[in-house]
Structures are given as C-alpha cells and as structure tokens.
Amino acid sequence: MTPVIIGIAGGTGSGKSTFTNRIHAAFPDEVTILYHDNYYKAQDDTPFEERKKKNYDHPDALETSLLVEHLRALKRGETVQCPVYDYSLHTRSKHTVTVRPHPVILLEGILVLSDEALRNQMDIKIFVEADADERILRRITRDVIERGRSMTDIMDQYLTTVKPMHYAYVEPTKALADVVINSGMNDTAFELISGKIREILSEQK
C-alpha cells in the first residue's frame, strides 16, 4: 500500500486547519496529518530576540527537504520521527512525534505547494482561500490564544512579513492546485474530497 498524499495549502487563517481536521475526523483510522510548520528550521544557536524577528513566511525558513525525505519514507512503508516546533521559543522542541504510514496523508501548510519536490510527492493539491480581513482576524485569535503572543508582535509580524510573503509566495501557488475552495467549511468541497478518499480506500482494499 502506497499512501495517497493530499496537500492542503492557503494563506494564514484561510481555513486550512478546519478543512484538514474535518477530513481527519471523517476518516480517523485511515488518515494522518503532517504539518509543514513543524519543519521550521531549528534556531537553538540564535538569540531569542533575533528569532522573534525572523521571516517565518519565506520558504527558506522551512526544512522542506527533510519533509520530502519523510514523505518518501512513508511511501516506502517506513515510520518517521516528525519534528515538533515550539512557537513560544521560536525553535524546534526536543521532542518528536512518531508518524506511521496511513492510506491517506494530509499535508498542511501555507507553502506546501511552493516547492516543486514537495508538490511532486502529492496526488491531490488543494488551495483554501479566504478574504484577507477574515484571515488576519483568525490569525490574531489563534496567536493570542494558542501561542501566547502579544497583539503588538502579531501586527508587526503581519505587516512586515506575513502580508508581503503571502502575495509573493502563497497566493501564486493557487494556480498550481487541482482544487480551489473558498472556505474550510465548504460542505460541497468536503463531500467531493471525502468521496475521493472513499474511492481511494476502496481501491486499496
């Protein structure tokens, strides 16, 4: 069994995680998730104040080559140790997560479609889009509640890196997607992708 890999891209706060989690909830035993964000490069040797100012929305901030290696290993039926990123420290955690091969792997992240080698691992490419105002509001809510960040830091990062990098690197990848949906709560898109997954699972049995 070779896992089917579905890439789910889109801007920050677009609804990627909502859509990804809905798919996972519908197929809890057959689907696993890999997050591109967990592959941010380790910065243990960089002072904390410098880490806070780093451009995390540029493709170079991620160790995508390691993610590609992990996907290839999963396709070979091997288990991998996925890194875990600590957003409060702006570097990788000392812990890893064991990821085993599943029939379907969901790969989520704003830049998962920007790297050709990564795209080549995918069987289905999805781009989730949303209004820019909605996206920033969702990001603020997430970063304050889940990541313990201040409003000042969030707005400064959004204006200096998140917004310009979105238009430079994220938005252009919409043209590379097989499917573009306008919300993580788009029921039609959910049913279409769920139907495709059921078809894949049926063929693998």
Side-chain angles (χ1 to χ4, degrees):
M1 176 201 73
T2 300
V4 171
I5 298 176
I6 302 175
I8 302 176
T12 181
S14 62
K16 299 183 304 301
S17 294
T18 297
F19 192 77
T20 299
N21 291 335
R22 290 181 73 190
I23 294 295
H24 184 253
F27 305 93
D29 298 324
E30 295 90 1
V31 171
T32 192
I33 308 171
L34 283 180
Y35 298 97
H36 201 187
D37 283 5
N38 276 329
Y39 289 80
Y40 277 123
K41 295 175 181 176
Q43 302 186 91
D44 297 341
D45 297 329
T46 304
F48 181 72
E49 289 304 316
E50 290 184 27
R51 295 182 209 167
K52 289 170 62 177
K53 299 175 183 177
K54 186 175 178 65
N55 182 355
Y56 292 96
D57 293 85
H58 191 283
D60 289 346
L62 295 140
E63 192 178 358
T64 302
S65 59
L66 177 61
L67 175 54
V68 172
E69 288 178 19
H70 283 178
L71 290 174
R72 289 172 176 163
L74 289 166
K75 284 184 173 182
R76 294 193 298 267
E78 301 169 9
T79 296
V80 301
Q81 294 299 318
C82 173
V84 175
Y85 198 77
D86 188 330
Y87 293 97
S88 64
L89 297 177
H90 297 287
T91 192
R92 278 189 192 166
S93 166
K94 302 302 181 185
H95 305 287
T96 59
V97 173
T98 300
V99 178
R100 296 177 175 81
H102 281 65
V104 178
I105 297 172
L106 303 180
L107 177 58
E108 182 201 317
I110 64 172
L111 293 165
V112 295
L113 298 184
S114 68
D115 185 272
E116 183 177 9
L118 189 55
R119 286 198 309 275
N120 288 341
Q121 300 302 312
M122 301 175 195
D123 300 283
I124 302 172
K125 300 180 288 293
I126 299 171
F127 189 96
V128 184
E129 61 179 355
D131 177 78
D133 291 339
E134 293 179 16
R135 289 192 291 102
I136 182 56
L137 289 173
R138 290 172 186 160
R139 184 186 179 100
I140 290 171
T141 302
R142 180 200 68 189
D143 284 1
V144 169
I145 296 174
E146 298 179 16
R147 301 181 180 176
R149 301 186 59 205
S150 70
M151 282 289 295
T152 301
D153 284 348
I154 295 168
M155 296 309 298
D156 180 62
Q157 183 183 38
Y158 180 78
L159 293 174
T160 57
T161 61
V162 177
K163 184 177 179 179
M165 293 300 100
H166 174 82
Y167 290 108
Y169 295 105
V170 181
E171 187 71 18
T173 66
K174 180 166 67 174
L176 303 172
D178 300 311
V179 181
V180 178
I181 64 177
N182 62 357
S183 167
M185 294 302 294
N186 186 313
D187 290 333
T188 300
F190 173 75
E191 290 301 328
L192 286 171
I193 299 302
S194 295
K196 183 62 178 178
I197 291 175
R198 291 190 193 95
E199 180 183 322
I200 291 167
L201 294 174
S202 177
E203 291 174 352
Q204 289 181 343
K205 291 180 179 178

